[in-house]
Structures are given as C-alpha cells and as structure tokens.
Amino acid sequence: MRAVIDLKLKSPNRRAFLRRAASSSIFALSPQWLRSQYTANRPATLYVTDALEKYAARPGLQWSGAAARVRGATIEIDSTLEYQPILGFGAALTEASCFLIHGMPAAARHAFLTEAYSPLGLNLSVGRSCIGASDYSRSIYCYDDVPDDMNLDHFTLKHDEACVLPTLREIRQINPRLFLMATPWSPPGWMKTYGSTFGGRTTENILGPYTHSLWDMANESMLGGWMSDQHLGVYSRYIEKFLQGYAQAGAPVQAISCQNEVETTQNGKMPACRWSPGLEAAFVRDHLGPSLRAQHLETQIWLLDHNYNYYQRVATQLEDQNLARYVDGVAWHGYTGTPDQMSLLHRKKPNIPFHWTEGGPFIDDPNYARDWAKWGGIFTDALENWCRCAITWNLMLDSKGRPNVGPYTCGGLVTLNDDGSILQSGQCHALRHFSRHLQRDGVRIASGSDAPGVRHLAVRNPDGGFAVVLTNPGEAMELRIVHAGQQVSLSLPRDAVATLAWC
C-alpha cells in the first residue's frame, strides 16, 4: 500500500515547484527510476469542455524533453509526493431522483443509468441514499411512525420498495462496485424532544403534485426539532434494521452518517433534526458503534455531514478516544465556511478520511447548464483539502426542481424535461472530467503552477496511468505540463474544464 505523505502544498511547496520549473536542469526533479519510465513522443489526450465543446477529445499530444523551455505558463507534477487515495464520484439517490428514474420507460431508464454508472459513461461509483424522507421526497415518512414502538414491531421498508430500492438494485447491476452511503434527515418524530408545526402550509402546497398519500400527522414532528437522549438505543436499532433490510433487498450500504446537517433544524420547513456534539458522540460511542462492530457489519460511520465551518466541532469530538475508535470518516458539505477548514482538521487528525457528500446547482440559476468552471473549482477544492470522494446532490430532478417537499430550489445533476429529454448541468459537465479519469484506489499526487487563475488536480491511477484536471475560469492560455523530466504543450480555452490523461 502506498504511503500517504501529509505535506502542505499551498505556500512553500508551490514556490519550490516554480523555482524548479524555471530551471533548465529540470531532470533533477525526479529520481532516475521515475525518469526512465518516460520516453519522448509518449502520447497524451486532452479532453475539453468549454462553450463550444463538451468533453471533446484532442488526442495526439506528445511528451518531449523538458530541458528547453517552451512558451506558456507551467504546471508541474511530482508523483513522488502522494496524498489521499480516491474513492470515487457520484450523486444523491434521493426518493425524488429514484421516482423520476423509475418512471422512465424501461429502455430509456437502463440507457440513462448505464451512461451514468458504467466506466464508458460518466463512471459514477459512489452514491448517497436517504434513511427515510429528505426534502427531496414525495412525502414526509419514516420506517416506523407508531409512537413509543420501542421494539420496532412496526418497522417497515415498504415505502422504499416503490422506487428507491428497485433503482438502487438496477444501478448495482450496472456497477457492482457502487459505494453507497446513507443519511437520515430525521429520526421518527416520536424519538425527538420536540418537532415543528405546519406553519399554515397545506398538504397541497407542501407536497405538490407528486404526493401519493395524505399527510401523516404522526410525522409532523419530523420537521425540525432535536434528538432525544432517551431514544438513542432504539434509534440505533432503527438504523441497524435499515442496514439489514437494505442488504437483504440487494442494496447494501457501505457507510452512514448519523444525521444530515447536524447543526440546523431548517426552521421546521423540512425533515431535519439537530444533534449537539455530545449527543452525536454518545450515539456513536455508546450505541451505534458497538452494535455495528458486535454484529460484524462492515458499514462505516462518518461524523458531521455538514458544512466546513463546523470543523472544530469534529476536532473536539475526536479527542474522545472511545468515540474515535468507531469513526471511519468525516462527511462535509460546502455551503458555508471555506474548504481549507477541512485541512485545519486534517492537520490535527491526519488519519481520519474525509468525504464531500453534498452540493448542487439551483434550477433557477441562469448558469445552471454553463457553470462547469465553477464546479471544477469546487471539486478541486474538495480533493485538494483531503476529500476522497465528491457526491453531488440529487442525481435527477424535473425542470422545476421537483419532487420537493422542502423550501429550496435545487436542480439535479441532470434535468428530466417534460418531453423525456435530459439536460446536463454545468456541474455534470465538470464532474465528468473527474469521474472518468480519477479511478478508485488511485492517489492524489503533488502539482504546482505559475498559471494565473488555473486550478489543477493530479492523480496516479492504479492502472499506472496519470491524469491532471485543469479548471480555467479566465481567458485562453498556453500551458506546458511538466512531469518526470518530460513536458507537453497544450492550449487551454477560456472558461473551460479540461483533463490531460496519459499512461
């Protein structure tokens, strides 16, 4: 197994990269064993997304000796410096997305899922499912809505058999290596200290045309509120029954978090629940963690599942070694705070894996289908700050951002139009440059640049190949990529995401 070196690339290493790139003795950068892998005229392919082309291949680029400087800025790659391994890329398989996908004609559905999850398509390999209702469901529901059912005699996954589980099973048939994590937006309302009220809203204006049942008053308290410390044990058993049931249904879950966005009640406008840091720690340390280990369930437990700015919350929790023994990772959202706050936690806890688990476009954004450079930068930020995967929000929504029982106007990774056609978002165009070329069990390697404004993220893949994803939100420029004593020159268009791949 490759060693992962915890080095900071941002300031001193970047200056060192630039000094080396400017030097004519560039062969001194890499040891002889590495240089010997490369010969002149080794081909590389550039894949480009810009205003004119989408993931257009430009093959035939040639590597040559790097002793002679050519025009353009420099991005230098040093594959002797390794960082975190790559898990993969994916999207959230909410009930809203599964409902739309499941409702497509069988041939069209299979074609779409094959394009999304096969290696020759978008190559998605990670997904996020919901434990009960989220804001992107067709109704508010849980798996046991009978108050004080401490034995969970009324627990059932029947709701998910309508569209969620069939969709997950079909995806896993296409990609058996799917890594699925699951998250609850709320426990059953009767497990909380208090919930919220309708606030004058009606069933019709909350649920819209997609609802298939009347509002269940027993689930009213799933909107907002706090988790009750009196129900941690029964909630642990509830999660375990979900994991067992999904595995038996052919949709095994590889990781869970305790709560989507633990630090907010969403003002009672959607399924939500707030957990104090101590309560989340107690739940994992004293209930869920020991129970999963005792039953030999191989499902990982990830903390937080919320924004960058809560990194100190996790740092404090992980000081508890009895908790830390059950924690397999931290899940991050990018709505508030800054990505480098993940690195602040990494410096304190370098052995805890990070995962980027939610972020998506808005359907009413006029740049919904064109903001690939924005998302290229966001994905680069996540991986540059130690995340091993990037999972976007809803895989598919309709042209109005539905089904939706919550207050937000999110758009899907793709939009299913009324005529059955599919529109890819700018986020989708950007994601393809990562998901197609950053393979599972690859490793992020060091890269530095003097190219103004250009973001870069390099990997060495397990098959021996390399890739660097370039995001250019500015004007067109000439670049040279330097690696192991060789260089290749390319033209990077304005407002573009591009991937250079070579073996």
Side-chain angles (χ1 to χ4, degrees):
M1 182 175 181
R2 297 188 183 98
V4 177
I5 304 173
D6 181 8
L7 294 177
K8 285 72 180 175
L9 190 58
K10 284 293 189 181
S11 50
N13 282 351
R14 182 177 184 275
R15 289 193 294 270
F17 265 112
L18 301 186
R19 286 196 300 270
R20 296 199 301 250
S23 170
S24 61
S25 58
I26 200 155
F27 283 94
L29 291 182
S30 304
Q32 182 63 40
W33 67 266
L34 183 60
R35 294 201 308 273
S36 65
Q37 298 182 74
Y38 292 89
T39 59
N41 301 319
R42 181 176 293 274
T45 300
L46 184 69
Y47 301 85
V48 176
T49 292
D50 64 2
L52 299 178
E53 301 176 296
K54 303 296 178 289
Y55 195 70
R58 298 178 182 175
L61 299 180
Q62 299 294 324
W63 293 91
S64 61
R69 179 67 185 259
V70 297
R71 65 176 182 168
T74 297
I75 292 177
E76 184 184 353
I77 298 166
D78 187 345
S79 51
T80 66
L81 297 181
E82 298 184 346
Y83 303 100
Q84 79 274 23
I86 301 299
L87 176 62
F89 301 86
L93 295 157
T94 59
E95 187 194 16
S97 293
C98 292
F99 172 72
L100 294 177
I101 293 167
H102 189 67
M104 297 171 70
R109 179 180 68 244
H110 189 73
F112 168 73
L113 292 176
T114 300
E115 165 61 23
Y117 288 93
S118 71
L120 297 180
L122 194 55
N123 194 34
L124 301 184
S125 60
V126 184
R128 185 177 184 226
S129 189
C130 307
I131 303 177
S134 73
D135 49 329
Y136 281 85
S137 297
R138 294 191 296 148
S139 63
I140 308 299
Y141 72 96
C142 65
Y143 303 129
D144 190 337
D145 59 7
V146 177
D148 299 321
D149 182 17
M150 303 302 288
N151 293 323
L152 300 176
D153 295 327
H154 299 277
F155 182 96
T156 177
L157 295 173
K158 183 178 179 180
H159 184 102
D160 290 2
E161 279 289 358
C163 62
V164 176
L165 284 167
T167 303
L168 295 177
R169 285 192 288 263
E170 187 167 357
I171 290 170
R172 195 167 288 279
Q173 288 176 352
I174 295 168
N175 186 349
R177 298 186 71 204
L178 176 71
F179 185 102
L180 185 64
M181 70 92 59
T183 305
W185 266 243
S186 174
W190 55 271
M191 296 185 189
K192 298 160 79 169
T193 56
Y194 65 89
S196 62
T197 62
F198 288 111
R201 294 175 294 164
T202 66
T203 302
E204 181 178 359
N205 62 35
I206 294 173
L207 303 182
Y210 291 103
T211 182
H212 60 95
S213 63
L214 295 176
W215 183 276
D216 185 352
M217 294 299 293
N219 289 330
E220 177 184 343
S221 58
M222 290 181 64
L223 306 180
W226 290 71
M227 182 66 193
S228 167
D229 60 1
Q230 302 299 311
H231 289 92
L232 296 182
V234 67
Y235 192 43
S236 176
R237 296 195 299 274
Y238 179 93
I239 297 294
E240 294 159 36
K241 287 179 75 69
F242 163 82
L243 293 172
Q244 293 164 355
Y246 260 53
Q248 292 169 2
V253 173
Q254 284 71 48
I256 61 168
S257 64
C258 302
Q259 171 64 44
N260 174 70
E261 300 185 344
V262 291
E263 285 278 359
T264 180
T265 64
Q266 300 289 354
N267 297 317
K269 295 182 178 180
M270 56 180 269
C273 183
R274 192 162 186 172
W275 292 64
S276 69
L279 197 62
E280 183 188 25
F283 180 60
V284 174
R285 181 191 62 225
D286 303 332
H287 299 279
L288 187 63
S291 181
L292 293 189
R293 292 285 174 85
Q295 297 183 60
H296 305 289
L297 297 179
E298 297 181 354
T299 303
Q300 300 177 16
I301 300 175
W302 298 351
L303 291 181
L304 189 63
D305 221 352
H306 208 174
N307 292 323
Y308 303 140
N309 55 309
Y310 297 120
Y311 71 98
Q312 290 180 318
R313 170 189 169 115
V314 182
T316 301
Q317 289 175 316
L318 291 176
E319 291 303 312
D320 181 347
Q321 294 304 308
N322 291 324
L323 165 67
R325 63 187 294 200
Y326 297 115
V327 174
D328 302 290
V330 180
W332 301 94
H333 299 183
Y335 299 115
T336 60
T338 56
D340 61 327
Q341 290 174 313
M342 293 187 289
S343 286
L344 295 178
L345 178 61
H346 175 80
R347 291 169 194 166
K348 294 182 178 181
K349 303 293 179 182
N351 296 321
I352 298 293
F354 290 174
H355 309 276
W356 198 87
T357 55
E358 186 181 311
F362 290 93
I363 195 64
D364 51 2
D365 184 342
N367 292 314
Y368 166 81
R370 302 189 298 272
D371 58 356
W372 44 78
K374 167 189 166 182
W375 288 105
I378 290 173
F379 296 142
T380 299
D381 281 336
L383 273 68
E384 194 173 62
N385 288 281
W386 301 99
C387 288
R388 301 183 178 197
C389 71
I391 306 174
T392 71
W393 194 202
N394 299 273
L395 174 59
M396 176 186 284
L397 294 174
D398 72 10
S399 59
K400 294 184 179 179
R402 302 175 306 180
N404 179 4
V405 299
Y408 300 113
T409 59
C410 297
L413 184 67
V414 301
T415 293
L416 180 64
N417 293 317
D418 293 343
D419 63 2
S421 62
I422 292 175
L423 173 66
Q424 296 183 42
S425 65
Q427 184 187 54
C428 183
H429 290 303
L431 187 65
R432 187 182 302 273
H433 285 271
F434 294 82
S435 60
R436 282 293 298 266
H437 298 284
L438 278 60
Q439 300 171 9
R440 179 170 296 174
D441 299 325
V443 62
R444 179 170 70 93
I445 55 178
S447 59
S449 174
D450 62 358
V454 175
R455 304 298 307 280
H456 45 90
L457 195 290
V459 297
R460 173 166 53 200
N461 285 315
D463 64 2
F466 295 85
V468 56
V469 183
L470 308 167
T471 301
N472 179 29
E475 296 302 316
M477 64 173 66
E478 299 297 315
L479 284 179
R480 69 166 186 158
I481 309 297
V482 176
H483 180 217
Q486 298 283 303
Q487 68 181 1
V488 64
S489 298
L490 57 90
S491 296
L492 189 61
R494 71 179 301 275
D495 187 27
V497 179
T499 303
L500 183 72
W502 68 98
C503 295

